[in-house]
Amino acid sequence: MTALLLAAVSAVLYGIGDFWGGLSSRRAHIVHVLPAILLSGIVTILAMMPLLGATYSQDAIVAGLVAGTFGTAGFFLVYLALAMGPMGVASAIVAVLAAAIPYFVSVLRGQQLTTIGVAGAALALVSILLVTRSSEDAKHPASRKMIVTAVLGGFAVAGFFLGLALAPSDSGLAPLSITRLVHIGRASCRERV
């Protein structure tokens, strides 16, 4: 029950953050918005470390570096897609792909499928088609470029999750803190360019 509660709170907070990040990206270039988002994330992670712990093993660090690399691309592409078109369309595409790809990877690795899991995966994939047809934003209509950017963002976010899944189960927040440091480092490099 605690895991479900934490997952629900995380989903709500990610949704709020992505909404405001997308709006900010429409007003300012993503290169200027992203560092502020990333800094607030690392502050939150550091504040939670005493409660949730962090073990910096070699595997945890490697997982954090892999996830951080994909996550940097994901942040950039997702906020770019949110700034280019209807947020409901862009975020739905990203969310479905970010969930579906790790699901299919786990199936390829031998995880057993349940009827509910198969039905959920099928509905998630169909939702991309429905959402891209049903939502229009007059000021920011859906374009092929926005959809391609959102799809690439979904793949990058899936890579982020798969990278985090490489970490040992006792790592705590160590891999996530490494990902944020990678994100901040790469975002500051882009800002200088």
Side-chain angles (χ1 to χ4, degrees), residues 6-23 37 75 78-79 82 87-88 91-92 94-95 161 180:
L6 288 173
V9 170
S10 295
V12 168
L13 293 175
Y14 266 108
I16 291 169
D18 284 348
F19 175 77
W20 288 111
L23 280 182
I37 293 167
F75 269 118
V78 168
Y79 287 125
L82 291 173
M87 285 194 214
S91 63
V94 170
F161 290 138
R180 287 299 182 170

Side-chain angles (χ1 to χ4, degrees), residues 96-167:
V96 170
L97 288 173
I101 292 168
Y103 174 84
F104 287 118
V105 168
S106 67
V107 168
L108 291 174
R109 289 182 176 167
Q111 185 172 353
Q112 296 297 316
L113 297 175
T114 64
T115 305
I116 292 174
V118 172
L123 289 173
L125 294 174
V126 168
S127 73
I128 289 179
L129 296 175
L130 295 176
V131 121
T132 55
R133 291 179 169 270
S134 66
S135 179
E136 281 297 323
D137 180 341
K139 293 181 181 175
H140 302 280
S143 66
R144 180 178 296 239
K145 185 177 179 182
M146 186 274 311
I147 291 171
V148 169
T149 304
V151 167
L152 292 173
F155 275 91
V157 173
F160 169 76
F161 290 138
L162 290 169
L164 285 178
L166 296 172

